Amino acid sequence: MKRKIITIDEEKCNGCGICVEACHEGAIGMVDGKAKLLRDDYCDGLGDCLPTCPTNAISFEEREALAYNEDEVKINMIAKAIAKKGGGCPGSSAKTIAHDDKDKLPCGCPGTQSKSFTRQSEDNCQVVEKAKSRLQQWPVQIQLVPVNAPYFNNAKLLVAADCAAYAYGNFHEEYIKNHITVIGCPKLDSVDYAEKLTAIIKNNSIKSVTVVRMEVPCCQGIERAVVKALQDSGKFIPWNVVTITTDGQILD
């Protein structure tokens, strides 16, 4: 939708941070020493921040932007208030996860490597390699991921139905590996993912989008949301869809 929203001139911004405190919706934050509009849907367009800026770096503009989301703002401000008091839920904090692909042995001796065993009989056992997590970031729920999280820059985006990782055994290695992952269930979540996904794609340099969905009809919702997000973003990004059956097979 087209509406009035603030814009910040980075060249005029002196990094004082006064506007951040003046914004009652948490729409403005400091990034690399400059004030930045973090989310369009947090800005109500009333401009409480304008008169506080000592360098007149903030002004209004009319452009395509997400609608003001009062419910999301309330949740965000409550979370900020809790965090300011030293509390808050650490599970919702954005972070990047690094994995070491090398198996480190304490003394270089293969005999000291940790292994798991599946006992087939008293005289016969099979070595089972421990599967590694390939998740590169947190959180993963579509509704929780910050639109401007740094891990989205130059990312290969995986948008997956949350059941897919349970149905397909090699999900981490084949799909999560080397991707930034967001998950959701269009049947259980009473929201339209398209709006959030549009913001992620529009505000970041996404290299590609892979959709992994289940064969069940309700999973069409997550595919439709991605298609709409790609269209609304105005960007031409390579994308593909993988469909998994309930017994863990990939449909051709």
Side-chain angles (χ1 to χ4, degrees), residues 36-183:
K36 182 180 178 64
L37 178 61
L38 300 178
R39 286 183 53 160
D40 288 359
D41 58 342
Y42 281 6
C43 179
D44 59 8
L46 297 178
D48 290 344
C49 55
L50 267 69
T52 67
C53 180
T55 62
N56 296 317
I58 307 175
S59 59
F60 279 124
E61 67 175 346
E62 190 167 333
R63 63 172 174 83
E64 288 292 331
L66 297 176
Y68 174 61
N69 192 330
E70 186 176 359
D71 291 337
E72 283 286 329
V73 168
K74 287 179 180 178
I75 294 171
N76 179 52
M77 296 313 291
I78 291 172
K80 278 191 170 186
I82 294 173
K84 198 170 183 180
K85 294 179 180 179
C89 175
S92 62
S93 300
K95 63 179 179 180
T96 301
I97 302 171
H99 296 286
D100 186 358
D101 287 340
K102 296 179 180 179
D103 294 323
K104 296 181 179 179
L105 303 181
C107 66
C109 172
T112 63
Q113 185 172 357
S114 175
K115 296 178 181 179
S116 298
F117 293 90
T118 299
R119 186 67 62 182
Q120 295 180 328
S121 68
E122 286 190 14
D123 299 322
N124 184 27
C125 65
Q126 177 183 356
V127 176
V128 179
E129 293 291 339
K130 183 179 179 181
K132 296 178 181 178
S133 171
R134 298 301 183 180
L135 191 65
Q136 295 191 34
Q137 99 290 339
W138 188 265
V140 293
Q141 287 285 348
I142 294 175
Q143 296 187 80
L144 295 180
V145 291
V147 170
N148 297 105
Y151 47 68
F152 282 125
N153 287 324
N154 298 315
K156 294 179 180 179
L157 183 64
L158 170 66
V159 183
D162 52 13
C163 294
Y166 292 93
Y168 192 70
N170 208 32
F171 193 80
H172 272 251
E173 285 295 328
E174 292 188 31
Y175 297 109
I176 294 182
K177 186 177 180 180
N178 298 324
H179 286 77
I180 294 300
T181 304
V182 295
I183 67 171

